[in-house]
Amino acid sequence: METAAAAAPAGGDRLSNLPDCLLHSVLSCLRSRQAVHTSLLSRRWRHLWRAVPCVDVDHRDFFFDEPQPVAPGHGASDAAMGAFREAQSKRAAREKKQRRVLEDFADAVLPLNGAWPLDAYRLHIRDDLHLRKAMDRWIRRGLARGPAELCVAFDYDHHGAGYNSCWKDPLAFGFSIFDGAVTGRLRRLSLSGLVLLQGFPDELRSECPLLEDLQLVNCQCITQFLPGNRRNIIRIGSRSLKRLVIEGVSSLHHRLCLTAPTLVSLNVDTPVAVEDEIWSLAVASISCHAGALILLKSLRSATALELRRFTTWALVEEEPELFHEYHNLRTLVLTECEIGDAWMPGCGARAKEHPESGETRAARLHGAVSFFSQVSN
C-alpha cells in the first residue's frame, strides 16, 4: 500500500496525506458500501477500505424504497390488469437484482479468513425471507472476527409479515448456534427484531465477560415453560454491565429479571423485576407497567429519572412516600403522564376521573407537583 508521503505532492490533497490509521478511523464512521466507494477517489484510497476495523452492512444502501403497484379495481379492463402484472414483474426483478448485489457485497466485505479483529460489526437487514439464511452466514462470519461491538437489526413487518406470523422460519439468535463465535472482546451488544434462544441469558454472563452496553429492542425470549414452577424467570444482565436498554421485549409465561449490580443507566418499557437494589444507578427511564412501582423502589440512587405514561395514582397516591426516598435525585422528567385535571407542561394527556373528592385530590396534586418542581430545579 502506498505511503502518505508518496501518495500526494506537497500542498495537494491534505486528507490523503494523513497516515493510514487516521484514514481508517475516518472510514469507520461510514457504512461499508460508502467506505468502498471511496476507493474511486484516487490510487491512495483504492485499498484503504479493506483494512477498516468496522464493518457496517445496511440494506438501505441496496434497496430502493418504491411503492407496490396499485391493483386496478373490480371490472378493470384486460389492458389495465396486464399493465399491473407487468409492473409487479418488473418490481420483483429489480428487487432480485438488488438482493443479489447485497449478498455479493456482504460476502466480499466479510471474507472467511479475516486476519484482524473488528472494532465494530453492524448488520441491518430488512424482513426478507430470501436473506434469512444469508444473515446466519454473515452473523457467523462477523462473530468469528471477535468484534468489540455487535449490532444486528432485523426489520420485521409489524403488520403481519414479521416473525410473529412466520414462526416456521424465525430469525433466531444465540451465540451457541454460530460456530467459531469469539465473544471475549464484546463490550457492546445491540439486537433488534430477533428471537433470543433459551440459553442466551446464560451466554451473556458466561461468554461476554467485558460486556458493558446491552440493547434489546422488539425481541422475543424463547425459554422452556415449567408448569407450576414459580421460578420461571429470565435473568438478563451481567456483573460487568453498565448500560441496559430493553424495549418491546416479550416472553410468554416468564418474567424478566435484571441482575446487573454495577448498572449505571437503565431504560425499560416492559415489565421487569430487580433482585437487589442497584446502588450504582445514575440515570433511569421507566414506562408505567405492571410492577413498575416495585422497580422504582430499586432505583432510589438515581440522580436523573424519566417516567413515561404514569398516572397520578401510580405517581403519588399508591406510594405517597416513594419519591421522598430519592435523596440523590436532581432531574425528574414526566413524559405523557396524567398528573392533574388540566394540561401540564411536558404531559400529553388529561387525568382520568377519580372517586376522591376534588378538594382532597387537589391538595394532594399540589403537593406532588411542588415536590416535582423542587426536584427538577
Side-chain angles (χ1 to χ4, degrees):
M1 185 177 294
E2 294 182 78
T3 62
D13 182 1
R14 294 186 177 182
L15 184 60
S16 295
N17 276 329
L18 295 174
D20 285 1
C21 60
L22 290 182
L23 293 179
H24 289 154
S25 179
V26 172
L27 292 178
S28 295
C29 299
L30 303 176
R31 294 206 288 258
S32 290
R33 198 178 196 196
Q34 297 168 337
V36 172
H37 284 168
T38 63
S39 63
L40 302 176
L41 295 176
S42 68
R43 293 179 60 190
R44 168 83 172 105
W45 291 78
R46 184 172 300 172
H47 300 291
L48 280 174
W49 66 270
R50 297 182 182 277
V52 174
C54 298
V55 174
D56 189 338
V57 179
D58 196 310
H59 71 92
R60 292 171 294 184
D61 293 332
F62 301 88
F63 289 93
F64 303 105
D65 189 13
E66 54 180 315
Q68 289 277 3
V70 179
H74 179 70
S77 64
D78 292 342
M81 290 300 299
F84 170 67
R85 286 192 289 268
E86 182 180 1
Q88 279 189 316
S89 178
K90 289 182 177 180
R91 187 178 189 275
R94 287 193 297 270
E95 284 199 351
K96 183 177 180 180
K97 182 178 180 180
Q98 294 163 2
R99 188 183 302 116
R100 189 185 310 119
V101 173
L102 169 58
E103 291 180 354
D104 292 343
F105 179 85
D107 287 337
V109 297
L110 274 176
L112 289 172
N113 57 345
W116 56 87
L118 293 175
D119 290 343
Y121 176 48
R122 306 181 188 99
L123 182 64
H124 185 187
I125 300 298
R126 71 177 191 174
D127 186 7
D128 190 321
L129 185 62
H130 300 281
L131 293 175
R132 292 196 179 188
K133 291 183 179 179
M135 278 196 71
D136 289 340
R137 179 172 72 250
W138 298 331
I139 294 174
R140 184 178 67 252
R141 290 186 180 183
L143 282 172
R145 299 279 295 275
E149 174 186 344
L150 175 66
C151 301
V152 179
F154 181 63
D155 284 350
Y156 65 88
D157 186 353
H158 291 268
H159 301 290
Y163 63 64
N164 287 326
S165 60
C166 298
W167 283 108
K168 293 182 179 180
D169 188 22
L171 189 59
F173 185 91
F175 294 118
S176 60
I177 65 177
F178 300 109
D179 296 335
V182 179
T183 59
R185 298 180 64 246
L186 197 61
R187 292 185 177 274
R188 182 174 189 270
L189 177 62
S190 176
L191 304 176
S192 176
L194 304 179
V195 176
L196 307 179
L197 297 182
Q198 180 169 340
F200 175 74
D202 294 331
E203 291 173 343
L204 287 179
R205 294 187 292 271
S206 61
E207 305 292 336
C208 307
L210 302 180
L211 186 65
E212 295 182 350
D213 193 329
L214 175 62
Q215 181 171 330
L216 303 176
V217 178
N218 293 334
C219 292
Q220 182 151 2
C221 299
I222 301 298
T223 55
Q224 183 181 6
F225 175 63
L226 303 177
N229 185 359
R230 295 184 178 181
R231 298 184 63 82
N232 284 306
I233 59 177
I234 301 175
R235 289 182 172 85
I236 298 291
S238 71
R239 291 189 175 276
S240 60
L241 199 62
K242 305 294 184 185
R243 292 167 294 278
L244 176 62
V245 176
I246 301 180
E247 297 180 351
V249 175
S250 62
S251 178
L252 297 176
H253 311 301
H254 290 75
R255 292 189 304 115
L256 296 178
C257 184
L258 305 184
T259 56
T262 60
L263 199 65
V264 175
S265 174
L266 175 65
N267 184 341
V268 295
D269 72 349
T270 190
V272 296
V274 177
E275 288 190 334
D276 299 304
E277 186 153 0
I278 307 177
W279 294 107
S280 59
L281 194 77
V283 180
S285 178
I286 309 296
S287 292
C288 188
H289 52 69
L293 291 180
I294 298 177
L295 174 62
L296 286 173
K297 292 180 179 180
S298 302
L299 312 178
R300 289 174 292 185
S301 64
T303 58
L305 180 64
E306 179 191 18
L307 302 179
R308 302 187 297 260
R309 296 181 291 278
F310 277 75
T311 63
T312 304
W313 176 258
L315 283 172
V316 181
E317 300 172 7
E318 188 172 351
E319 292 286 347
E321 301 298 324
L322 175 61
F323 289 99
H324 292 284
E325 300 175 5
Y326 278 71
H327 302 296
N328 299 327
L329 195 61
R330 296 296 178 267
T331 302
L332 177 64
V333 178
L334 304 180
T335 303
E336 298 181 14
C337 293
E338 300 176 3
I339 61 172
D341 292 326
W343 291 90
M344 300 297 294
C347 300
R350 292 181 182 272
K352 297 180 180 178
E353 293 297 327
H354 191 275
E356 187 176 43
S357 69
E359 185 175 324
T360 305
R361 185 170 181 236
R364 191 186 293 269
L365 285 173
H366 176 74
V369 173
S370 299
F371 173 72
F372 294 153
S373 300
Q374 294 171 10
V375 169
S376 299
N377 294 330

